[in-house]
Amino acid sequence: MDTKLNRFILRVCFWVPKLVYLNILWAIHALPLITLVPSTRALIRSILHFQTNTETTGIRAVFIVYFKENTYFSRKKEWLYSLYFWLILIDYWVLNPETFIGASIRIALLLFCLLSSFILVYQTLLSHNQDRSISFFFAFFSFLRNPWIALGHVVLTVSGFLLLLSFSPALLIFSGISILLFFNLQYLQALPKKHLFSFEK
């Protein structure tokens, strides 16, 4: 029992500082708005990088490398993805929540934004693992083959958000995005390959 507890404490000590720093880097690089998706991809790929590399230095350097890769090789596509997410969020805030139609559309937009975010995580994970570009639409259809997986993402994200909010609002503010992405990546990686990676050679 003590060994498991020690491993858990070491894991927390390893990840929390990294996730806080990565979250700050994500926020800074997402500020131009059109770089929201490249910054998010860089955050995801940095987390994947540190899952297999235990070095404690070079966090910013790793993030910058992935960020530049995303903006250099597919700049226009990444900007369009970013604009897509911002339009959903703007529509969400503009609609009047006091009317039934407005409230219903806001809920639908929120769920659609969450679903698109999960597919973005999934697409980035596949591209990173296979070292090749995976289209968003291919990831979309592959991801939705099993609706229970999508439901699991929603439950995990909402539960993680409420847990962070109740346990440590400061942690939610400074590392909420990176922690939630970390949880979702762990969830995806824990699934049997036949559910998500059946197309791999």
Side-chain angles (χ1 to χ4, degrees), residues 6 8 15 56 69 94 199:
N6 290 337
F8 175 76
W15 275 111
T56 56
E69 282 185 10
V94 167
F199 55 85

Side-chain angles (χ1 to χ4, degrees), residues 83-97 102-103 105-107 109-110 112:
L83 181 62
Y84 161 77
F85 278 101
W86 281 116
L87 286 175
I88 292 176
L89 293 173
I90 290 171
D91 288 341
Y92 175 83
W93 291 111
V94 167
L95 289 168
N96 184 3
I105 296 176
R106 276 168 63 100
I107 292 173
L109 285 172
L110 183 60
F112 193 69

